[in-house]
Each structure stands twice: as structure tokens, then as C-alpha cells.
Amino acid sequence: MILEAGQGPIDGTHYLRATPETAGWGRLPCRTTAPALTIDSGDSVTFDTVSHEGILEDQGRDPAAFFGRYGIAATEVLSDARLLAKSPPPRDPDGDGPHVVSAPVHIRGAEPGDLLKAEVLSLHRRADYGVISSRHGRGALPDEFACTGPEFTFCAVERTDGRDVGVIRYGNGRAAARFPLRPFMGIMGVATDTDGPEHSVPPGRHGGNLDIKDLATHSALYLPVQTAGAGFYTGDPHYAQGNGEVALTALEAPLRATFRLTLLKGARARAAAAALTHPFGETDRHWIPVGLHEDLDEAMREAVRSAVRFLADRFGMGGPAAYAYLSAAADFEISQVVDQVQGVHCLIRKADFPD
């Protein structure tokens, strides 16, 4: 099964295909990047996203040939992935990131200082397979796993006991590990207030490559608007990821993602945006403060600071009480350790603070 452009469910009011004109490669939109769409606040947008795995230079920039090694017919490789792989100009593998990122969406009336709420309404798989990679001397154990095995681990999607699972075969194919799928978009962000596009790998206050697996369907990400129009974009689709993403990548595979993009304005929203040193997430069960830093210990401290600040701003909770609550009841989880800027996110249960 593949979900080609224009086929199957398109849940948003607006629809953005992945083409050489509507997707960038290795860089994030900035204030000078032309938008692909202009919408009103509260509108929904469906993005067709393409995984970088299978189209990169070290994979031959030919996804049909690359996935053919694993028994995937050329007809089961997305047309937009094949088109992007062969379209000039190529990315600079030495200076750019690997990710395919959508062109930005301009939201009428968005101004610096506003807060953008990006709600994940739906995520549809576009293929029944993906790739987990460990290469370039990166990951949590680069010295221990350099040149000791395959750089690319093919992963099929199968139906088992009524649910879709990822399958990694090992022992010459005689054994298999099966794990649940939980799709999410690794990259969600707003355009940076810079003259040129930023590298796609490190996340920041603009969002970008956050790789927070809890930001799945029915979640929301809050981003401080940095440029006129906000310039929301997405990319780096995942079918599943363990916290830490230790090998370098998660299960990378293409998704059709639909977001509702809503501007939050006024004094309260602007105060919240100004207070956010990092993006902020939300699910039906949790609030998710985020910490980002090149040093993992400092990323943890930043996540704690963000959580304390949230509890103070939202509930008037004093610092010592908030600090104690977080130590007793909140979970701090490592988002990823592989994106130059490390990530830690906190899960604060909403049920602990009834209205």
C-alpha cells in the first residue's frame, strides 16, 4: 500500500503536495522564504511529507533502487520521493541537513510576538515500510557501532493481532522484533527571523527538529511567532521512535499530516510567547515543557526551568512547591541525543490540576 499524492484521505481545507517547488532539503524556512500557501487563522492544512531515508546521496539518490534491495517493487515507492531524489539542485551533503521540509505556510495577521498553536489532527501512513539508520559516526555509541553492521535497517509494517506493528528481522531473517507504531512529525516549526535558512538538524525556539514522540495525533505544539505570517512548516515523518533516538534515526517513513493552525493574540498570548524560551507541547493528558541545549545536563535543567515557569504562570504555584511537585510526580524524558542540540521534555499530568 502506498498513498500517492492526491489519493486517499485529505483531511484539511488546504492541501500541500511535496514537490521540488513546495519542499526544501536540509534547511529550514526563514523570513525571506517564499510561502507555498496563505491561509487564515484556524484553517487546516494537509501536508504530504517525504522521508529523507532512501533518497540521500549515500543511498544512491534512487529510492526505487534502494528499496528494491529489500524486495520493494518500484510501483510501491512514492512518486514524489522519486521526483525529489532526482531533482536539481542537489542538497550540499557537507553543509546541509538530511531532512525534506515543506515550504512555509503564511498565516494572515501573524506578527512577531504572537503565539502559534499547531494542532495535529490526523496522520496517515503513506507506505508500509521504512528505514532506521546509524551512520556518519553519530548516535549515542558512534565508536562502538562504527562499521560493525549495516548502516540501514529496513523495517516492514505488518498487521499483527489487529494492530499495525513495525518488524525488524534478525538472525538471518529467522527471528523478528515487533513493536507498536505511533506516527508523529519530527519537524514542526515557524520561520526564523534570519536572512538565510537555518540548518535542519538542531532544534531551537523556532521548533524544528524536536523529535518529541508525544506530539502525535490530537496533540498541539505552541511556537512563538518570529516573522510576519509565522511561516509554519513540517517534515521528518516517523512511524515510531524510542525516547533518545539513540542509533541516529527513528523509524523514518512518509506521512500525510494535517494540522489546524491557530494564532493566539492579545496580552496574555504575547506574555506567554515572550516567556517561552523553547516550544511547548500539549496532549489530552499532559502539558509538555521542553528543554534544549548542546549539553544534555543543561537541556535537563532547561526543561526543569520551563516546567517551574509554566506551573507558576498557569497556576500561581510558588517555586519551591513547583520544584517539589516535579520531583514527586512529573516525568522528564530524553527526546533525542542525536541532533547536535539535545532535547529533554517534561510530562505534567493534567489530572493533577483539576479545574
Side-chain angles (χ1 to χ4, degrees):
M1 182 280 296
I2 61 171
L3 191 59
E4 288 280 19
Q7 299 178 0
I10 298 174
D11 299 327
T13 304
H14 307 272
Y15 175 44
L16 188 61
R17 302 181 184 220
T19 71
E21 294 73 37
T22 62
W25 199 348
R27 294 279 168 174
L28 301 178
C30 64
R31 65 168 174 253
T32 60
T33 307
L37 288 173
T38 298
I39 69 169
D40 292 319
S41 174
D43 284 357
S44 57
V45 183
T46 295
F47 298 81
D48 274 349
T49 68
V50 172
S51 175
H52 55 277
E53 294 295 345
I55 69 174
L56 290 171
E57 290 81 4
D58 60 2
Q59 296 166 327
R61 290 198 62 171
D62 183 347
F66 177 80
F67 287 113
R69 303 176 202 168
Y70 304 101
I72 302 299
T75 54
E76 293 298 307
V77 177
L78 289 169
S79 299
D80 46 16
R82 285 182 281 168
L83 179 61
L84 285 165
K86 68 180 182 181
S87 296
R91 60 182 279 276
D92 176 4
D94 297 320
D96 295 336
H99 309 100
V100 178
V101 182
S102 72
V105 171
H106 181 100
I107 302 157
R108 293 184 183 93
E111 299 172 332
D114 293 341
L115 196 60
L116 178 65
K117 181 181 182 181
E119 298 173 83
V120 186
L121 301 184
S122 65
L123 296 165
H124 299 288
R125 287 189 293 104
R126 301 188 65 202
D128 282 336
Y129 56 87
V131 173
I132 307 159
S133 73
S134 178
R135 60 196 197 274
H136 308 313
R138 297 174 184 165
L141 302 174
D143 296 331
E144 297 178 39
F145 282 88
C147 303
T148 60
E151 294 181 322
F152 312 114
T153 299
F154 178 81
C155 186
V157 174
E158 297 179 0
R159 191 79 173 168
T160 300
D161 297 329
R163 62 174 185 166
D164 292 331
V165 297
V167 181
I168 296 177
R169 299 199 173 275
Y170 61 97
N172 294 322
R174 293 189 299 271
R178 291 176 169 83
F179 53 91
L181 302 185
R182 192 182 183 191
F184 73 100
M185 297 303 302
I187 289 179
M188 295 176 282
V190 291
T192 55
D193 187 21
T194 55
D195 292 330
E198 298 288 323
H199 198 282
S200 71
V201 170
R205 188 169 184 262
H206 56 276
N209 192 26
L210 294 167
D211 282 335
I212 297 175
K213 72 174 188 177
D214 296 277
L215 298 179
T217 306
H218 308 307
S219 70
L221 181 65
Y222 296 85
L223 296 157
V225 174
Q226 302 182 24
T227 63
F232 178 82
Y233 54 83
T234 191
D236 192 27
H238 299 73
Y239 284 4
Q241 179 186 298
N243 280 325
E245 200 182 22
V246 295
L248 178 61
T249 82
L251 174 48
E252 313 282 325
L255 290 169
R256 176 170 291 166
T258 299
F259 298 86
R260 179 183 294 115
L261 303 175
T262 305
L263 290 176
L264 304 179
K265 288 180 167 286
R268 185 174 179 183
R270 283 185 162 263
L276 284 180
T277 55
H278 307 296
F280 185 93
E282 182 180 15
T283 70
D284 57 348
R285 296 180 60 196
H286 295 101
W287 292 292
I288 309 177
V290 175
L292 301 170
H293 199 275
E294 292 86 351
D295 179 83
L296 185 57
D297 288 341
E298 189 57 35
M300 177 66 181
R301 296 184 188 100
E302 284 294 303
V304 176
R305 293 183 187 111
S306 295
V308 168
R309 189 162 50 245
F310 167 73
L311 292 172
D313 292 345
R314 179 67 181 266
F315 299 107
M317 201 173 190
Y323 199 37
Y325 164 78
L326 294 170
S327 190
D331 291 317
F332 287 82
E333 303 192 350
I334 298 172
S335 316
Q336 50 74 27
V337 296
V338 295
D339 291 336
Q340 300 175 20
V341 171
Q342 324 266 4
V344 175
H345 61 277
C346 174
L347 299 175
I348 299 174
R349 285 185 300 270
K350 291 181 175 180
D352 295 352
F353 296 86
D355 293 334

